[in-house]
Amino acid sequence: MSIFSLLFYGLLILLILSFFSSFVFIVHQETAAVVERLGKFHSIRQAGLHLKIPFIDNVVGKLTLKIQQLDILVDTKTKDNVFVKVKISVQFQVIQNKVYEAFYKLDNSHSQITSYIFDVVRAEVPKMRLDDVFERKDDIALAVKGELEGAMLNYGYSIIKALVTDLDPDEQVKQAMNRINTAEREKVAAEYQAEAERIKIVARAKAEAESKKLQGKGTADQRREIARGILESVEVLNNVGINSQEASALIVVTQHYDTLQSMGENSNANLILLPNSPGAASDMLNNMITSFNISSQIGESIKKKNDNKNSNSKKNK
């Protein structure tokens, strides 16, 4: 077969394909095609194989029926004059029975949606403080969705979802917020630490008070037993003909030398200088007796004064 024959057959195949393509066209799944006849809208074709009249019918455009997403970054400021970038993600879809409105009424659907988003965000965010923007971002998303639904429905578009996907304040503002959070956490930590120290101090004070109480009770019991022992010793000495004064002197001398002996037996005892002559115990006993007598006299004097005051006050009445 010559080269001219190949060229002839190739050209024939191209002519046949172009002839059939002028009669038929294919629309893919989740797509709608707009057909015009002699420049005027004729019909909307859904997915499948379709026929058209060559040179009269023309497929002027196709619209996807899939859910689309448009991401918009809006730069605005809050009520407390903090500039923040708000990223809005809008999911929308062409309504299947409103393909005509979507194709003919809007020249650029993305630009239209973007304009509405800017308008809503710049109207809502300036009403809120920065902290409120973070807490109420769902309210912003609902406001955007509500505004777009009412506006885009007439153009054949359905708003599926509007989301606030990101909030980005100025870098200096973020650093200041981090410092505030750090200071707040340090404050809480200091309060907990102070409370722990207070509990330790209270517990230590209670333990010390209990220790002092037990120590005092032990000292009182010890002195009580010592007094009982001295009383018994005096009674024993009285039974053998020794009077109370002599018995007291003997007991003081005995305890004086017992104390010196116990100090000598303890190798860790500190050096203490005490009178240890034979007359020292007698001097201590005389001093004690003198002190007791003076105390008794003072007590009797105070008692007499109180009695005189009470009697004078009764006479005056």
Side-chain angles (χ1 to χ4, degrees):
M1 184 178 292
S2 65
I3 188 170
F4 295 102
S5 299
L6 291 175
L7 289 174
F8 174 77
Y9 285 117
L11 183 58
L12 180 62
I13 292 172
L14 288 175
L15 290 173
I16 293 172
L17 289 176
S18 62
F19 176 77
F20 276 104
S21 64
S22 62
F23 279 97
V24 298
F25 65 95
I26 297 174
V27 180
H28 295 286
Q29 187 67 32
E30 296 298 326
T31 305
V34 179
V35 178
E36 290 183 352
R37 178 167 292 176
L38 298 176
K40 183 180 180 180
F41 172 75
H42 177 262
S43 62
I44 295 173
R45 308 293 177 87
Q46 303 296 331
L49 181 66
H50 299 276
L51 299 174
K52 65 178 182 175
I53 301 173
F55 310 109
I56 296 177
D57 292 341
N58 186 25
V59 179
V60 294
K62 293 180 180 180
L63 291 177
T64 179
L65 301 178
K66 296 179 182 179
I67 296 176
Q68 304 175 66
Q69 178 165 310
L70 179 63
D71 296 324
I72 303 296
L73 188 64
V74 183
D75 194 0
T76 183
K77 74 172 185 175
T78 61
K79 187 176 181 179
D80 46 355
N81 295 321
V82 177
F83 283 89
V84 60
K85 294 179 180 179
V86 183
K87 185 177 181 181
I88 306 292
S89 296
V90 177
Q91 298 172 353
F92 62 96
Q93 183 181 29
V94 175
I95 302 173
Q96 191 167 1
N97 59 356
K98 288 190 175 184
V99 175
Y100 176 87
E101 289 83 354
F103 186 80
Y104 285 102
K105 287 189 175 184
L106 278 182
D107 181 50
N108 190 331
S109 59
H110 287 193
S111 297
Q112 188 80 2
I113 294 174
T114 300
S115 299
Y116 278 108
I117 291 175
F118 269 86
D119 182 63
V120 174
V121 172
R122 287 180 174 173
E124 292 294 326
V125 173
K127 299 177 184 177
M128 308 176 186
R129 302 179 68 86
L130 181 60
D131 292 339
D132 297 334
V133 173
F134 281 93
E135 294 176 1
R136 297 169 53 190
K137 65 178 185 176
D138 290 341
D139 295 342
I140 300 173
L142 290 174
V144 171
K145 184 176 184 295
E147 183 71 19
L148 287 176
E149 277 182 335
M152 299 304 294
L153 185 63
N154 296 328
Y155 299 111
Y157 285 88
S158 172
I159 305 300
I160 307 301
K161 192 75 174 177
L163 301 171
V164 178
T165 56
D166 191 20
L167 293 170
D168 187 19
D170 185 79
E171 185 63 30
Q172 293 182 353
V173 176
K174 290 193 287 187
Q175 293 177 2
M177 292 174 67
N178 290 333
R179 289 197 297 269
I180 292 172
N181 291 332
T182 301
E184 187 68 24
R185 293 179 183 275
E186 289 178 353
K187 177 183 176 182
V188 174
E191 290 177 353
Y192 277 110
Q193 186 175 2
E195 181 65 18
E197 290 297 330
R198 187 188 69 81
I199 293 174
K200 289 181 180 179
I201 292 172
V202 171
R204 189 160 49 244
K206 288 182 178 179
E208 186 175 355
E210 186 67 22
S211 174
K212 294 294 184 181
K213 179 180 178 181
L214 294 176
Q215 184 178 359
K217 184 179 179 181
T219 302
D221 293 341
Q222 180 184 13
R223 290 174 178 174
R224 189 181 301 109
E225 293 300 323
I226 291 174
R228 186 179 291 114
I230 292 174
L231 179 61
E232 292 177 355
S233 299
V234 171
E235 291 177 351
V236 170
L237 293 174
N238 288 334
N239 293 331
V240 295
I242 299 175
N243 60 33
S244 299
Q245 185 173 0
E246 292 174 345
S248 299
L250 180 60
I251 292 173
V252 169
V253 171
T254 303
Q255 288 194 346
H256 176 71
Y257 285 104
D258 287 343
T259 302
L260 293 177
Q261 182 180 359
S262 63
M263 290 174 60
E265 291 176 353
N266 190 357
S267 60
N268 295 326
N270 294 323
L271 178 62
I272 299 176
L273 298 177
L274 291 174
N276 57 359
S277 62
S282 177
D283 292 339
M284 284 190 293
L285 178 61
N286 292 331
N287 291 334
M288 290 173 61
I289 294 172
T290 303
S291 299
F292 290 153
N293 292 332
I294 292 172
S295 298
S296 299
Q297 292 174 5
I298 293 172
E300 290 293 333
S301 176
I302 293 173
K303 185 177 179 182
K304 288 180 180 179
K305 288 181 180 180
N306 292 333
D307 293 340
N308 292 330
K309 288 181 180 179
N310 293 331
S311 61
N312 291 330
S313 61
K314 290 179 180 179
K315 289 178 180 179
N316 294 329
K317 290 181 179 180

